[in-house]
Amino acid sequence: MEKIAVIGLDGVSWRILDSIISEGYFNVVSEVLDNSLKADLIGTDPPWTPPAWTSIASGVNPGKHGIYSFYNVKKLDKGFQSTLVTGKEACYPRIHEILSLLKVKNLVANLPATYYTPAYVKRYSVVVSDWLSPSIRVNNFMFSYLADAFSKNIAAKEYKDPEKLSKKLGERAQLIVKALSKAISILKPRLVFIVFSEIDWIMHKDKGFLK
């Protein structure tokens, strides 16, 4: 049976990825790209992380899945209420939710708007909530080490020192990869969908990252 891995690098365009590879990094990725089809992805409107990744995972635009921003704004009798977006705002099933209905095992981690996971998903889908969550959680206690790995050094994204920022986030990425490898060997999922946010965080803080 075929297996699929979706590895997302948040905020990374082909120009940025090509620049990183030219510096001697991501050798494995470079080998994959040399034997793959490359294409430009049509962006969402608005072109922000939550609506973009929800469109990728659901196959529909923000007008259908209902996630437009990092925040969910509700009109009250007096004024407005703003809260961070969660899975409750998703009006359209994402790929891991569809696969769960089809009884296909899958692993999803750090996909935006996955803090809330429907009960029917738990049996076939291991979901590690995204970094915007009040706390990073996994919906299956057997894989709690995944939540620990994704929680590690997350505060480092606010560091202003570029060297310290890159070092801590690099350590975090290594822990995540190690934890994911362990989980995949146990779960044996048909789909793995992982979003890495580290490069995006570094670019937001280190303006000279690509120089």
Side-chain angles (χ1 to χ4, degrees), residues 16 22 36 38 47 57 64 68 82 87 94 113 117-118 126-127 135 143 151 153 160 172 189:
I16 294 171
S22 69
S36 303
K38 291 174 62 177
K64 291 184 177 180
Y68 298 92
S82 177
R94 277 111 6 130
T117 303
V126 173
V127 180
S135 62
F143 298 92
S151 299
N153 287 348
K160 294 183 179 180
R172 178 179 187 270

Side-chain angles (χ1 to χ4, degrees), residues 55-196:
S55 286
I56 291 171
S58 66
V60 299
N61 62 50
K64 291 184 177 180
H65 62 60
I67 294 179
Y68 298 92
S69 174
F70 288 91
Y71 301 96
N72 179 45
V73 180
K74 293 181 179 180
K75 188 178 186 307
L76 305 177
D77 291 337
K78 294 183 178 180
F80 294 85
Q81 180 187 54
S82 177
T83 57
L84 286 172
V85 70
T86 69
K88 290 184 178 181
E89 282 73 57
C91 302
Y92 207 92
R94 277 111 6 130
I95 188 168
H96 63 287
E97 294 162 336
I98 295 171
L99 290 178
S100 294
L101 290 172
L102 296 174
K103 301 181 180 180
V104 176
K105 289 183 179 180
N106 61 90
L107 169 62
V108 175
N110 197 41
L111 178 66
T114 49
Y115 178 66
Y116 167 79
T117 303
Y120 71 84
V121 169
K122 184 175 181 180
R123 186 172 180 182
Y124 294 96
S125 183
V126 173
V127 180
V128 185
S129 62
D130 60 290
W131 63 272
L132 282 169
S133 306
S135 62
I136 296 177
R137 299 178 181 178
V138 62
N139 66 336
N140 188 323
F141 73 91
M142 289 180 58
F143 298 92
S144 59
Y145 55 87
L146 285 172
D148 294 338
F150 275 90
S151 299
K152 189 71 174 179
N153 287 348
I154 193 168
K157 65 185 179 67
E158 302 299 335
Y159 290 176
K160 294 183 179 180
D161 183 334
E163 185 174 342
K164 188 176 181 181
L165 172 71
S166 297
K167 179 181 178 182
K168 288 295 182 181
L169 291 183
E171 292 172 354
R172 178 179 187 270
Q174 290 178 348
L175 290 172
I176 288 173
V177 170
K178 184 177 180 180
L180 286 171
S181 297
K182 179 180 177 181
I184 291 170
S185 66
I186 295 171
L187 183 65
K188 295 179 172 57
R190 291 279 302 283
L191 169 74
V192 176
F193 195 134
I194 312 297
V195 179
F196 287 93

